[in-house]
Amino acid sequence: MSGRTDEALVATLREAYARSTMVGWDFARLGDRLTSDDPWWDFEADCRSAMAQARRILDMGTGGGERLMRLLDQIDADDRQVVATEGWEPNLGVARDTLAARGVQVAWYDAEQGEPMPFPDGHFDLVMSRHEAIDAGEIARVLAPGGRFLTQQVDGRDAEEIHSWFDEPVVYPKVTSRHFATDLAAAGLRVEVTDDWRGTMEFADAEALVTYLALVPWDAPNFTVDAHAERLVSLAANPPIRVTQRRFRVYASQLGLGGEPPAKG
């Protein structure tokens, strides 16, 4: 492609990027133009199982509340106190509206701000964090004796191709299973599970890629279509566009009363 064709492509990509904004946590607008592998474990099933055994539950970084609503629909939620946090301002109102019908309060909290969570010590039987930053000390503080912490995270080295193509630095190199497990253990928790996984995410075309980058601007905060037009034209010439996904999970528990590990079951 060259000349006018390139200019038309860049104009299309510029328009796609400008009109795409994440509301909640929904990639539905990409449809089958974005496909991705899944880790071999089932984080949602693990959360459902843990929720069924807990009475006071915290979902950190709930996004627009969609995932938590699905989990609540799949368990007996009676006699359970469920609250959530969200640290990205555009999602806060969405989450509150979504979860109000289930009586779930959503508090603003961003672990990267260094402030304590707005909850008392030893309050939760279960804390869940899917792709949300954490403060290990705060997790340990709010967990009750015997309480559990389940997290699945995007490894800081995720989508390394995007960083390379668009000259974006790796902002969170310490977001790895090893660092998480070390920090949680140092906070006094018993680390039970640590796993890593890598797979593939595939974009059907360059328009799907720039739409994705607009929806998750933290992946490439300095990206603009115009600054990287030449690279985008090159990628568009060889679809599909593939990047490497990296995920990990770490599960930990608070010691029970008397300093003993919590009972299994």
Side-chain angles (χ1 to χ4, degrees):
M1 291 189 297
S2 61
R4 289 182 180 275
T5 305
D6 288 357
E7 292 175 6
L9 172 63
V10 171
T12 297
L13 298 180
R14 190 185 298 120
E15 179 182 353
Y17 188 79
R19 68 170 180 260
S20 301
T21 302
M22 180 65 85
V23 177
W25 189 248
D26 183 11
F27 293 97
R29 75 192 70 189
L30 284 166
D32 59 5
R33 295 161 63 212
L34 169 62
T35 59
S36 59
D37 300 333
D38 291 316
W40 56 265
W41 61 79
D42 190 337
F43 185 66
E44 303 306 295
D46 291 344
C47 288
R48 285 196 301 272
S49 177
M51 291 173 73
Q53 301 174 53
R55 286 293 174 266
R56 292 179 295 184
I57 300 166
L58 169 62
D59 183 39
M60 296 181 63
T62 200
E66 308 92 344
R67 170 180 173 270
L68 181 56
M69 282 292 286
R70 288 194 298 270
L71 289 170
L72 291 171
D73 288 341
Q74 294 165 356
I75 68 167
D76 180 1
D78 292 342
D79 300 323
R80 285 177 170 80
Q81 179 191 79
V82 183
V83 297
T85 65
E86 176 55 33
W88 197 44
E89 197 66 36
N91 275 346
L92 195 57
V94 177
R96 286 172 173 165
D97 289 343
T98 299
L99 294 167
R102 300 303 295 263
V104 177
Q105 294 187 337
V106 183
W108 181 89
Y109 174 71
D110 181 355
E112 296 181 330
Q113 299 298 315
E115 298 179 1
M117 280 196 273
F119 309 113
D121 296 358
H123 187 70
F124 294 106
D125 305 313
L126 173 65
V127 176
M128 306 178 294
S129 171
R130 183 182 185 276
H131 303 178
E132 174 71 1
I134 70 162
D135 178 327
E138 279 298 288
I139 299 297
R141 181 183 68 80
V142 301
L143 273 178
R148 299 192 69 205
F149 173 60
L150 308 184
T151 187
Q152 176 178 292
Q153 294 286 336
V154 177
D155 190 290
R157 300 161 294 173
D158 184 65
E160 57 201 74
E161 296 85 355
I162 288 175
H163 295 283
S164 175
W165 294 333
F166 306 123
D167 301 315
E168 292 285 351
V170 175
V171 180
Y172 301 106
K174 291 189 175 182
V175 178
T176 65
S177 61
R178 181 173 64 85
H179 279 101
F180 266 53
T182 298
D183 289 348
L184 290 166
L189 299 183
R190 178 177 181 264
V191 176
E192 300 170 338
V193 174
T194 306
D195 287 306
D196 290 275
W197 170 86
R198 63 183 293 174
T200 301
M201 180 162 56
E202 184 174 289
F203 302 93
D205 48 41
E207 185 176 345
L209 173 62
V210 301
T211 299
Y212 173 83
L213 293 176
L215 296 177
V216 289
W218 48 85
D219 266 15
N222 301 308
F223 172 82
T224 66
V225 170
D226 290 325
H228 300 286
E230 184 175 349
R231 172 69 72 180
L232 290 167
V233 169
S234 175
L235 291 169
N238 296 284
I241 302 166
R242 297 185 178 92
V243 302
T244 303
Q245 294 186 105
R246 296 179 187 269
R247 302 286 185 270
F248 65 85
R249 65 171 179 168
V250 180
Y251 298 172
S253 57
Q254 184 64 277
L255 295 179
L257 294 173
E260 295 297 325
K264 296 290 186 180

